[in-house]
Every structure is written in C-alpha cells, then in structure tokens.
Amino acid sequence: MSLTDLSKISLKSKMIILVLVPLMALIVMTSLFLNQSIERYFSSKNLIGNIEFLEQVHYLVDNLQLERGLSNAFIAGANNQDKLISQRKKVDEYLDKVNSYKGKEFLINGAQNFFAELESLHKNRILVDGKLVSSKDNVKNYTHLIKISLDYYLVLAGESEKLSFGKNISSLRILEEAKEYEGLLRATLSAVFASNSAIGQADVSRIVTLYTGVQSNLNSPLISLSDEAEKKIVGFKDQNHWKFVSDKYELVLSKASTGDYHVDSMTFFSEISRCVSDLNEIVVDFMKVLKERADNFAQQALWQLINTILMLLV
C-alpha cells in the first residue's frame, strides 16, 4: 500500500486500525500467557500427585529394607520368624497403597514397569521361607526392587526441574541412597553376626563400601534441604546408635579372618535400625515441607490462571 492509498483512508478507518492492531497484539500475548498459566497449574497439580505417590514409595522402600535385613538374618540362622512375618504384613500394607496409584494420569512414563517389577516380591519370599537362596542372592533380589523404587526419584527430579523442585527431590534421593547403604549394611552385618564365621576379602570390601557409602552421601555437597534437615544430618554421626554401629563395623574388620565376633545379630539389627529410622525421619519431615511448597505453588498457579482469564474477559 502506497502513501497515496493511505491518504485515501478515512480518519475513522485510521482510528479503528490504530485501536485494533495493539488490541490484537494484546489478545495474542494474553492467550499465550493463558496457555502458560494453564500448563503451570496442571504441572503443579501433577507434581503434588507425584510427591504423594513418592511418599508411599518411600514408606514401601523403608519397610522392604527392614524385610530384607530380617530375611537375610533368617537365612543365616537367626530365630526371627515371627518378626519376619510381622514385617511382611507391614510391607504388604504399603504395597497396596503404592499399587492403588496404578493408572493415575499424573504418573511419569516408566511407572508401570515399576509396578510390574514389584510382583517379584512374592517369589523372593518363597525362596527365603525354604532357605533356597543364599544371603548374597537374597540381598540382590530385594535390592533390585528397592533400586527400581528409588529410580522414580530421579525421573521426577528431572521432570520437576522447570518448577524449581528438581534439586530438592534429588536431595531426597541422596538421603534415600544413604539410607539404602545403611539398610544393606544392616542386612550384611546381621547375617555376619548370625553366622559368627570368618568372611573373605570380597565381603570385607563390600562392607567397607557400604559403610563409606552412608558417609559420602550424607556429606554430599549436592544436598539442598531445609536448614533444620541439614542440621539433623550434621548431628547424625554423633548419635550413640551410629557410634555403636561404627564400633561393630571396626570389630568385623579386625576379626574378619577368624570370626567369633560375640555380637547378637538381633541386638545389632535393632541398633542399626534406629540409625535408619533417624535418616527416615529426616526424609519424612522434608517430604512434608516439599508437599507444603507444592501446595503453595499450585495455589499461586491457580490465582495466576484466574487473573489471566479475567484479563481476557475484560
């Protein structure tokens, strides 16, 4: 359109053009902002659902770790059938809660494989009851289930990075990793004390790896939690339960070639379980903080969505 053509346009038409162009631009920008607000709101609601699911996964893992330790002591000769049966009932309770999330739309891709893997637990128990599996293979069987469960933390951390929750969820995964090392140490040393026999260099190396794994994860610079949670982590190693575990760890290293430790396996199991409970408390408390943050985030996203809709209507 030339300048001559523009001069032929009436003043009224020019005024309409001047109003319509910025108005259309405003509508386009508001529509884009509306789409972002909708996506942000539903992403926050999905995050809440996933955190609630993660909470049940945490309790399942915590109880599977206990069952692993008790089953390993049972295979090694401990007289703990009643405790093992009681613990299995607790695991089944949380297994039902986790399975209740099957088919939920907010779950991240890969969750269905996790549900399928959990079905192998029944087979593990049959092997334990008949003592048809070695302590080493029993630990592998349970550890596989626990690892599959903990992997969901990493998947969720990646998905929630855009909502600024990724670092916190990754930090929870690090704490869970420390607790898993501690759980493996519980299962391994409980079996060692139950058998009261000498152990080889490979077993010694594994025990050292597990013990140092607890320490290195708790000292990780990547942990990003609340100030209160981080203070509890710092004070963890000064607690009497952990000192007891450390003493028995040193005892095993010093007597690995001869055995004859004179440590009651179930007493050790109880003491190290208190350490696991201490870490568990930190995880549970921070997960509550995370849920509150996610709820607040969802509320903010909802208000942003409402305001955007009002802008379009006006």
Side-chain angles (χ1 to χ4, degrees):
M1 183 178 288
S2 64
L3 291 175
T4 305
D5 294 330
L6 285 173
S7 63
K8 294 178 181 179
I9 299 175
S10 65
L11 180 61
K12 181 180 179 181
S13 298
K14 289 179 181 179
M15 292 296 294
I16 292 174
I17 292 172
L18 286 174
V19 172
L20 282 179
V21 170
L23 182 61
M24 290 299 294
L26 179 62
I27 291 173
V28 170
M29 290 180 63
T30 306
S31 298
L32 290 174
F33 192 59
L34 177 62
N35 287 333
Q36 291 176 356
S37 298
I38 292 172
E39 182 181 355
R40 188 179 179 86
Y41 173 69
F42 283 106
S43 294
S44 64
K45 296 297 288 184
N46 287 342
L47 175 63
I48 291 172
N50 274 290
I51 291 176
E52 290 173 347
F53 173 65
L54 203 62
E55 186 176 22
Q56 298 306 321
V57 170
H58 161 76
Y59 286 122
L60 175 62
V61 166
D62 186 50
N63 281 278
L64 275 174
Q65 288 168 334
L66 272 168
E67 182 177 332
R68 177 180 58 193
L70 288 169
S71 65
N72 228 38
F74 172 74
I75 291 169
N79 184 22
N80 65 343
Q81 294 95 324
D82 291 342
K83 287 186 177 181
L84 179 56
I85 292 171
S86 176
Q87 182 56 35
R88 285 177 177 178
K89 290 179 180 178
K90 292 180 181 178
V91 169
D92 289 343
E93 177 186 339
Y94 286 107
L95 187 59
D96 288 342
K97 290 181 179 179
V98 167
N99 281 329
S100 70
Y101 282 83
K102 279 184 180 179
K104 298 290 186 182
E105 292 185 0
F106 57 75
L107 291 180
I108 301 168
N109 291 336
Q112 298 309 316
N113 292 333
F114 159 65
F115 290 120
E117 289 284 352
L118 289 177
E119 294 177 5
S120 65
L121 177 60
H122 179 63
K123 180 182 176 181
N124 292 357
R125 289 173 172 176
I126 292 174
L127 294 174
V128 171
D129 289 343
K131 295 190 177 181
L132 302 173
V133 61
S134 67
S135 293
K136 185 176 181 180
D137 287 339
N138 180 60
V139 168
K140 282 184 179 179
N141 292 339
Y142 275 93
T143 301
H144 173 70
L145 290 178
I146 291 167
K147 183 182 181 301
I148 291 293
S149 303
L150 294 182
D151 282 348
Y152 198 80
Y153 281 80
L154 297 179
V155 177
L156 181 57
E159 287 289 324
S160 59
E161 189 66 46
K162 60 183 178 182
L163 299 179
S164 302
F165 280 79
K167 288 183 179 179
N168 290 147
I169 294 173
S170 294
S171 296
L172 282 175
R173 177 63 172 78
I174 293 172
L175 285 185
E176 291 280 17
E177 187 76 13
K179 195 162 75 69
E180 170 60 358
Y181 273 115
E182 200 169 33
L184 285 167
L185 188 65
R186 172 174 56 191
T188 304
L189 289 184
S190 293
V192 168
F193 293 138
S195 67
N196 204 35
S197 304
I199 56 176
Q201 187 56 48
D203 289 325
V204 171
S205 297
R206 174 171 170 74
I207 290 168
V208 171
T209 298
L210 296 177
Y211 182 84
T212 55
V214 177
Q215 308 269 30
S216 61
N217 276 282
L218 291 180
N219 293 330
S220 173
L222 299 177
I223 290 180
S224 176
L225 301 170
S226 63
D227 291 340
E228 182 180 354
E230 292 183 8
K231 285 179 182 177
K232 287 181 179 180
I233 292 173
V234 172
F236 172 82
K237 290 181 287 186
D238 295 328
Q239 295 182 7
N240 291 331
H241 308 312
W242 182 245
K243 289 179 180 178
F244 174 88
V245 171
S246 298
D247 288 343
K248 298 303 175 278
Y249 162 76
E250 295 292 344
L251 175 66
V252 169
L253 297 188
S254 65
K255 290 192 171 186
S257 60
T258 61
D260 200 24
Y261 310 103
H262 294 294
V263 176
D264 181 71
S265 64
M266 294 316 298
T267 298
F268 174 80
F269 187 90
S270 296
E271 287 297 317
I272 193 172
S273 292
R274 293 182 182 182
C275 297
V276 176
S277 295
D278 289 338
L279 288 183
N280 182 62
E281 182 182 336
I282 297 172
V283 173
V284 170
D285 286 348
F286 188 70
M287 203 168 279
K288 289 178 181 176
V289 172
L290 208 58
K291 282 178 66 178
E292 289 176 2
R293 278 190 55 206
D295 284 335
N296 291 334
F297 188 88
Q299 288 295 325
Q300 292 173 5
L302 178 60
W303 279 112
Q304 185 183 66
L305 177 60
I306 292 172
N307 288 333
T308 304
I309 293 172
L310 290 175
M311 285 174 59
L312 278 174
L313 293 176
V314 172

